[in-house]
Amino acid sequence: FFQEADRDKSGFLSWEEFSQHMEDPKVRAYFQALDLDVSQAHSLFDLLDQDDSNQVSMEEFVQGCIRLKGHARSIDLNMLILMCDKVFSKLNDVLFALS
């Protein structure tokens, strides 16, 4: 999956590369076979992009797929964790600025 989606051979997947590859019915079937919900591709990409670089490395991709394997509820829970991490980070920035 990763090597086929990485069209520019940079070793990273951009959102454009990822979303284009997710349109392929074979790719969608692959993710469904892994019990990964692909109905929200952008959320899935955000969850895989652990360092917020707007790119997904092969390591992030593999670790993310393993972490997200399971029912659709798993992706929802992981999305909540990601959102909480971002809110926590912003709150820390505000608290730091106030001190």
Side-chain angles (χ1 to χ4, degrees):
F1 173 89
F2 189 92
Q3 291 176 339
E4 288 179 17
D6 183 17
R7 294 181 185 193
D8 64 2
K9 306 300 180 208
S10 65
F12 295 90
L13 294 181
S14 66
W15 163 242
E16 291 77 20
E17 290 172 322
F18 185 83
S19 63
Q20 287 175 358
H21 203 58
M22 291 299 289
E23 296 297 319
D24 185 334
K26 292 177 190 174
V27 171
R28 296 179 77 78
Y30 171 77
F31 274 89
Q32 288 174 347
L34 293 175
D35 290 328
L36 292 173
D37 181 10
V38 295
S39 64
Q40 298 176 340
H42 204 278
S43 294
L44 178 59
F45 182 83
D46 288 343
L47 289 170
L48 295 173
D49 180 20
Q50 288 294 295
D51 62 1
D52 284 334
S53 64
N54 293 317
Q55 298 182 18
V56 175
S57 69
M58 184 177 289
E59 181 178 341
E60 286 176 315
F61 179 80
V62 171
Q63 289 179 353
C65 287
I66 290 169
R67 188 179 67 250
L68 296 172
K69 191 174 184 319
H71 298 288
R73 285 184 257 162
S74 179
I75 194 170
D76 296 333
L77 179 59
N78 278 280
M79 192 66 205
L80 287 172
I81 291 169
L82 176 67
M83 290 168 53
C84 286
D85 286 345
K86 288 182 179 186
V87 168
F88 184 71
S89 176
K90 288 180 183 182
L91 180 60
N92 276 339
D93 291 345
V94 169
L95 291 174
F96 181 76
L98 293 174
S99 60

